[in-house]
Amino acid sequence: LQEPGIKFEMSPLVVENPQKCFEKYVRRLPVRCAEATDTVWEKLQGRAAEQILGGHVGKLEFFWIHQSGAECTPDNADGLVCFQFVQGFAANFVRILHLSVVGVDGVWELKLPDVIFQVRQFLLTTLPIDSLRAVVLAGEDDAGKMYFDSDIEVCYQQCRFRWFQLTQSLRRTRNTLTRRAQVRPSSRFLVLHSPRISTDPPAPRCALSPMPALQLRDEEDEAEDGEVLKGFSQF
């Protein structure tokens, strides 16, 4: 995608209670779009609170996506993006934890590439970052097979996002009858990555450069039965 078909603008969500606005807005989302992004406030905040391996994470930002002159409210916005700036040891980047558009089936799918394209341009223009990483949820069918909405994946691919990482949170339990360890996935998602390239707008000048290189040492972490294996997120 070289140019968006529909022009959108981004405006910050500035209210005393962003949770109320968020929860009111996500009720408007089409089912397939809602299944691909975090729509539960507590889960979104939990993901935002994750520690990042080799980086300092900024606060979670909320921006309405709307057409020029349109009113920015939960009832009228065309979309919403929630992101964090990450100052890394090797490079600075943005984590997109929620990105969605509203509309009936057959319409929102056409809007989504334009929204992703302009969100990407907006973040590259306003923040001193080298790349973007978008979290997109995957589903699991009755047979336990993981699936991902291919139409949404194509929308990201059209805007220079590529598969970066498949991640899942694991809880280890032990069956008291067979004494065999079981691993149960509690959440699965894809991380799609888009680097800054030569044709992108230049990054703004900023003194907030990447931190010095991180030196890692080998450590063995043990988790007792029933504990969640909590590590550092790599995205």
Side-chain angles (χ1 to χ4, degrees), residues 53-98:
L53 180 62
H56 292 320
V57 182
K59 69 175 183 177
L60 187 61
E61 304 283 357
F62 297 80
F63 274 73
W64 291 124
I65 301 166
H66 60 93
Q67 296 188 46
S68 179
E71 186 179 8
C72 299
T73 68
D75 296 319
N76 296 294
D78 288 284
L80 177 69
V81 59
C82 309
F83 62 88
Q84 293 175 301
F85 173 80
V86 180
Q87 183 187 17
F89 283 99
N92 297 333
F93 61 92
V94 156
R95 301 172 77 207
I96 299 175
L97 303 185
H98 175 102

Side-chain angles (χ1 to χ4, degrees), residues 206-226:
C206 179
L208 195 61
S209 58
M211 296 180 293
L214 176 67
Q215 293 184 347
L216 300 177
R217 61 179 183 179
D218 293 332
E219 293 183 352
E220 294 184 1
D221 297 326
E222 297 181 356
E224 297 180 358
D225 293 344

Side-chain angles (χ1 to χ4, degrees), residues 11 33 53 57 105-106 111-112 118 160 173 191-192 194 217:
S11 298
C33 187
L53 180 62
V57 182
D105 289 342
K111 293 165 58 177
L112 185 57
Q118 289 170 89
R160 302 191 181 97
T173 61
V191 178
L192 301 174
S194 179
R217 61 179 183 179

Side-chain angles (χ1 to χ4, degrees), residues 27-42:
R27 289 197 290 267
R28 299 172 54 212
L29 294 180
V31 174
R32 287 172 56 202
C33 187
E35 289 178 345
T37 191
D38 276 319
T39 57
V40 178
W41 178 262
E42 290 76 16

Side-chain angles (χ1 to χ4, degrees), residues 28 38 46 49-50 58 60 72 81 108 110 113 117 129-130 144 149 166 170 174 187 195 197 213 216:
R28 299 172 54 212
D38 276 319
E50 293 172 346
L60 187 61
C72 299
V81 59
W108 70 267
L110 299 177
F117 180 90
I129 56 174
D130 300 290
D149 193 313
L166 171 63
L170 300 178
R174 186 173 295 277
S187 64
I197 60 177
L216 300 177

